[in-house]
Amino acid sequence: MEALLVNYVEKSLEQYMRRNAVFLCERLYAEFPSEVNLQLLARCYLNNNQPHSAYYILKGMQMAQSRYLFAIACLEMDLFCEAEAALLPVKDLCAEVPNGAAVQYLLGIIYRNTDRKNKSIEHFRKTLSIDPLFWAAYEQLCMLGEAEEAAVCFGDATVPCAQEHYLGNASSCLLVADTDHSSDSFQRFGLEYLSRSLLKQREGNNIRDICENNHGGPSLTGAVSQSKNSCCSTSFLSTPSPVPTQLSDVAPPPLVRNMHLRQSEDSLRPSTQARRKFACDNESAQIRGSLFFDSGLRRSARLAAGKRSLNTSQGSENKAKSLHASTKLSSETCSSTFCQGELMETYEVAVSEFGATSSSLSSTTDVKSIQHEIENTKLSSFISDSATIKCGISDTMKLLRTLGEGYRNLCMFRCKEALNVYQKLSSKQYNTGWILSQVGKAYFELVDYLNADYAFSLARQISPYNLEEMDVYSTVLYHLKQDMQLKYLAQEMILVDRFAPQTWCAIGNCYSLQKDHESALKSFQRAVQLNSRFAYAHTLSGHEYVIMEDYGKGVECYQTSLRVDARHYNSWYGLGMIYLRQEKFEFAEHHFRQAYQINPLSSVITYYLGTTLEALKRSEEALEMMEKAIVIDNKNPLPKYSKAKLLVTLGKLNEALEILEELKECTPRESCIYALMGAIYKRNKKYDKAMLHFGIALDLKPSIVDVAKIEAAIEKLIIPDEMEESL
């Protein structure tokens, strides 16, 4: 019963029948309580999105795999301290949690979420040192701004490490299989005589059926399960029951799998009747044949019957040669296709021939020779395949090197370099949802919203189900004032996943564009409820509070976002804008500088930092920042206008006038440009030109404040500067 339930639970998990797996596994654990079955139940809960259930049943368990699953449940519930304690080695048990690279990665996630950046970086780097193909660890390092160049992490020097990591598991699998074959061959094939006392010992144990491994489900039985999972060719080997192994230090009795029981026309023969057959010593030879070949429905049985009908006058030598040939054929089939079913059927043919000549051959000696030949064939096939594996690893590392270089540049906000790197990818890789979303995000950071819209729209066509970076896409449409397109995007995202935070960010941007800021704020708060560690949702909430002039709550949202992600420069920028509006220029400078250190290639951040320095009467530093902003984005008119104002302040009127003439060609409808040109002409005592430009500025309908300033300047136009200053 235990074997049957375990098999069906694994099968249900493979078929994503999660509710069925949970129900059956609860019955399994109620009938056969053991920590191994408890681990299987925890896996069912985790797959069924019930981390709290897995947490409660695994709490206090000390087995390594139990602690690993417990840590996964804790991470799902944001219980970082308990997850850390579960993953760290237990000195009393001297047992480290398995899955080395994965454990290091999880520890890195825990340390990052608990503001221990240095430890987080250390564990992410350990993850890559164990497994260079662990992309998620490199991705986290990029987000932290601490990633090494992709040529180092995925370079040629790391290829041997990746090969050793991949090939080492396969070679160790062969060694484990060889050890099991040589020491317990009679257990593996069931060809030796089984005593009555041994059968009595087994009657209380439930032996897992061979179909458990045919379904490919992972098993959590310590070292034995690791050897099973790492090498599919050992699926026909017997494995001790996990219950006594885990509950006591006494080694369990050797077990033999009932590979094929005798079947009647309507049902299987009860297992107790099969056991009673072993009671008679003089019927052992008949049992060897009936145990494997009484089923008339198996193709192997028909083959075996055909073999037995051949002329028995052929010598035992010819039979032995035929046995070795068929066994060699089966081993080649196993090593080339990893198909367990065909391997078992071929073995049955070989064993049937062996059973026909059992009187003249020693079963133990011949089985050992068969096993050695199988292992030699496995090893030769393994060596021949290693060249293909090495070539595949090299190609994979080359691809990751390009992707890593592009992603690192994007996380460092070197967006133009990232775009150049992504252009090197093949069309198959470039025309995927993830790459096009990264390209769209790069254009967004470059404030090139039209190209960003185009890239994101292509990503939506290729992967309409992918919501990653779609929150950024909604912001792109917000800046482009594409109301209908933004509504359509929000509706599509609702159909894909209404419980994704990206969906509610898009809905919030849609409301914000319609000036319904309260509904927008509710949408952003809903995104925060769905994922409290989604930094962009906190930032968008802060933006809405600023629009509503609730600066206190805006500051709280920005600070919460920074606690989630200290490199989220949008929140540093938002705080700087609040303090700039409140005329707290020192605080504004601090936050703008923090944002500038994270993203020094943002023209907007550089411009506002220069504006803050200008307010602090540090004109030279402000002028330097404006020049940097112009170099970063020559199309942005704000830094050019501010630079002209600073030049006027420094008395460099001609240089300022040149910049304004250039701006007038680019943005002819801006009244402030003509007003500043009028002031410059006034200072140069060119009153006619000054009056002309003041008049143009008024015609362009400036704001009420600017109208008052321009009219005051016109009234004082004929007054000499000396008199104006005295007034």
Side-chain angles (χ1 to χ4, degrees), residues 331-367:
S331 65
E332 290 174 351
T333 305
C334 173
S335 61
S336 60
T337 63
F338 295 97
C339 182
Q340 299 174 359
E342 295 181 4
L343 174 65
M344 291 174 57
E345 291 181 336
T346 311
Y347 264 110
E348 292 169 6
V349 176
V351 174
S352 66
E353 295 179 2
F354 182 78
T357 58
S358 58
S359 59
S360 60
L361 293 176
S362 173
S363 63
T364 303
T365 304
D366 283 311
V367 167

Side-chain angles (χ1 to χ4, degrees), residues 435-445 451-452 455-456 472 476:
I435 297 295
L436 289 172
S437 295
Q438 298 302 310
V439 170
K441 188 177 180 180
Y443 281 121
F444 168 76
E445 297 293 348
N451 280 324
F456 277 123
V472 179
V476 170

Side-chain angles (χ1 to χ4, degrees), residues 118 193 227 354 414 507 629 688:
N118 292 333
Y193 172 74
S227 64
F354 182 78
R414 297 196 288 262
I507 296 172
D688 294 338

Side-chain angles (χ1 to χ4, degrees), residues 232-280:
C232 65
S233 60
T234 60
S235 61
F236 56 89
L237 304 180
S238 65
T239 304
S241 174
V243 179
T245 304
Q246 304 299 337
L247 298 183
S248 66
D249 296 333
V250 181
L255 303 177
V256 177
R257 291 189 182 275
N258 294 327
M259 299 181 68
H260 297 287
L261 297 177
R262 182 189 301 270
Q263 297 182 358
S264 63
E265 292 181 0
D266 298 327
S267 62
L268 292 173
R269 186 182 298 275
S271 59
T272 54
Q273 296 180 9
R275 290 195 183 99
R276 289 170 187 166
K277 287 189 173 186
F278 289 93
C280 300

